[in-house]
Amino acid sequence: MSAKVKLSVLIDEIENDFDEYQSFVNLETGEVVMVSDWSLSKAEDEEPPEDMDSLDEELRIAYDIVDSVDKYISLPDRFEINEYQMMEDFCFSLEDQKQKDILLRAINGKGAFRRFKDRAFELGVIEDWYEYKRSCYRKIAIDFCKDHGLEYVE
């Protein structure tokens, strides 16, 4: 049985996906870790040094990920999550037709994310958007846990 994953940490890590970094859940500890692509490449390409204590923590984790494949699960990244769909679904969730129409127009074309946030702020629904988006990420995190047989704690 795997350790329990803290749901809030999992949500934050999925939501804050950074270029050139990957995030994983350690199945033994439930810890969520972020490792640079550089560290992972180094761990894949080079033998670990005899004195692992001489490495920084990130590189030690990268070697552990490479050497213990069944111990870690990669978190979904931004390419697996459709935030545009979240924005569109949020628009359709609004009861005020004028707000809905303004936001639906805002998400068309280049610059949709910035325009959407600007219009949501102007319409006074930006906090509603953040709450909606957070609930979507929460669902993604819970589904991730269920799909991988992970227990989570609030």
Side-chain angles (χ1 to χ4, degrees):
M1 178 156 102
S2 63
K4 292 183 181 178
V5 179
K6 190 167 184 186
L7 193 58
S8 62
V9 172
L10 188 61
I11 293 167
D12 288 344
E13 204 66 34
I14 293 170
E15 189 172 6
N16 296 316
D17 182 39
F18 296 107
D19 287 337
E20 300 179 22
Y21 283 86
Q22 295 180 46
S23 296
F24 301 85
V25 172
N26 180 320
L27 298 175
E28 293 176 359
T29 65
E31 181 183 15
V32 179
V33 296
M34 182 188 306
V35 180
S36 70
D37 291 342
W38 179 87
S39 292
L40 285 170
S41 291
K42 184 171 179 70
E44 288 171 348
D45 295 342
E46 298 177 14
E47 288 295 318
E50 290 195 23
D51 181 17
M52 291 291 281
D53 292 336
S54 66
L55 301 175
D56 67 19
E57 182 179 3
E58 180 184 327
L59 206 45
R60 279 195 308 272
I61 292 169
Y63 276 107
D64 195 32
I65 290 168
V66 170
D67 292 339
S68 310
V69 179
D70 294 336
K71 184 176 169 183
Y72 293 89
I73 298 176
S74 179
L75 296 185
D77 62 22
R78 78 174 115 235
F79 302 109
E80 299 171 76
I81 296 169
N82 189 343
E83 199 166 307
Y84 181 87
Q85 186 65 54
M86 286 182 206
M87 290 189 312
E88 188 174 58
D89 291 345
F90 174 75
C91 294
F92 285 115
S93 76
L94 296 172
E95 293 182 17
D96 184 301
Q97 189 63 44
K98 184 177 179 182
Q99 290 177 338
K100 186 184 300 187
D101 291 342
I102 289 169
L103 289 176
L104 284 170
R105 279 194 302 277
I107 63 173
N108 286 315
K110 188 174 182 173
F113 289 89
R114 169 66 16 220
R115 267 194 320 280
F116 174 83
K117 286 182 182 176
D118 290 345
R119 295 306 159 287
F121 181 80
E122 291 166 3
L123 295 169
V125 297
I126 193 71
E127 291 304 319
D128 295 335
W129 159 243
Y130 290 139
E131 185 178 318
Y132 183 88
K133 180 178 157 186
R134 186 74 175 178
S135 72
C136 291
Y137 276 100
R138 177 180 167 76
K139 182 180 179 337
I140 290 167
I142 290 171
D143 288 347
F144 172 82
C145 288
K146 287 179 181 176
D147 290 346
H148 295 285
L150 299 172
E151 292 184 61
Y152 61 87
V153 293
E154 297 292 330

